[in-house]
Amino acid sequence: MRAQGTSTLKPDGRYTVADYKSWNDDVRRELIDGVIYDMSPAPRIGHQDLAGDIFVAIRQYLADKPCVPFFAPVDVYLFPDEDDEDSTNVVQPDVIVVCDRSTIHDNGIHGAPDLVIEVLSPSTAHKDLGDKRDLYERAAVKEYWLLNPDTGAALVWRLEGPRFAPVSEYVE
């Protein structure tokens, strides 16, 4: 779904990080391969509850370790070798874990997180299972989890070489 109703939309529908940064409004968006995805309205309570529980559990687990967890909204610029202004990808995963602290900057994460966790919502499931999964794979995210708050299912992929391999599916 492309964002609509703003004068910043380009006729060709392709955007860069420079465009993303120029929108000085409070609307949450993601930029995936040059396509803007509106993240409104706010997630459902079950989504937020699960994302919060996962973040707290991971934060407690990592308390004495070098990795750091973050939760949305935080901008993640997945490809650090690209000039940020010309890049076409900025995402805001629900929960991430970063072990390379040099990628942590004041304005977001610049590089692939070690772990990305997305909590499925009916409006974003197709994007999370398709476009975002492919993007995280290309960016070499080491592990990707998809959690379904309605069913308790969890899909887990781990990077093996350049591709994600399904690790398992957990069902509550």
Side-chain angles (χ1 to χ4, degrees), residues 45-101:
I45 294 298
H47 176 284
Q48 292 300 86
D49 191 41
L50 180 56
D53 287 349
I54 292 294
F55 171 78
V56 168
I58 289 173
R59 185 173 186 164
Q60 289 173 345
Y61 175 77
L62 295 175
D64 300 338
K65 297 171 181 65
C67 300
V68 182
F70 295 94
F71 59 92
V74 62
D75 286 335
V76 178
Y77 304 90
L78 291 164
F79 300 98
D81 295 335
E82 293 181 2
D83 177 16
D84 279 351
E85 298 298 310
D86 294 330
S87 178
T88 57
N89 295 290
V90 183
V91 291
Q92 295 184 357
D94 292 312
V95 178
I96 62 172
V97 173
V98 176
C99 297
D100 179 357
R101 289 179 179 238

Side-chain angles (χ1 to χ4, degrees), residues 153-172:
L155 301 172
V156 177
W157 291 275
R158 189 168 294 133
L159 198 65
E160 292 183 8
R163 310 292 293 173
F164 275 142
V167 174
S168 55
E169 178 179 345
Y170 302 97
V171 178
E172 196 173 80

Side-chain angles (χ1 to χ4, degrees), residues 19-148:
D19 296 317
Y20 177 88
K21 289 179 178 178
S22 73
W23 298 321
N24 295 320
D25 55 23
D26 291 331
V27 176
R28 285 188 56 218
R29 300 177 177 98
E30 290 183 309
L31 180 63
I32 300 174
D33 294 329
V35 176
I36 285 289
Y37 292 88
D38 186 359
M39 297 177 69
S40 297
R44 296 179 310 169
I45 294 298
H47 176 284
Q48 292 300 86
D49 191 41
L50 180 56
D53 287 349
I54 292 294
F55 171 78
V56 168
I58 289 173
R59 185 173 186 164
Q60 289 173 345
Y61 175 77
L62 295 175
D64 300 338
K65 297 171 181 65
C67 300
V68 182
F70 295 94
F71 59 92
V74 62
D75 286 335
V76 178
Y77 304 90
L78 291 164
F79 300 98
D81 295 335
E82 293 181 2
D83 177 16
D84 279 351
E85 298 298 310
D86 294 330
S87 178
T88 57
N89 295 290
V90 183
V91 291
Q92 295 184 357
D94 292 312
V95 178
I96 62 172
V97 173
V98 176
C99 297
D100 179 357
R101 289 179 179 238
S102 72
T103 65
I104 303 169
H105 298 243
D106 188 51
N107 69 336
I109 307 304
H110 292 259
D114 293 87
L115 171 63
V116 170
I117 300 171
E118 296 282 7
V119 178
L120 288 174
S121 295
S123 62
T124 64
H126 180 73
K127 178 178 65 163
D128 291 339
L129 285 162
D131 295 337
K132 285 179 95 173
R133 183 196 170 284
D134 295 345
L135 180 64
Y136 295 146
E137 183 178 73
R138 283 193 337 254
V141 168
K142 293 178 184 170
E143 198 161 311
Y144 179 41
W145 299 1
L146 272 175
L147 309 178
N148 187 326

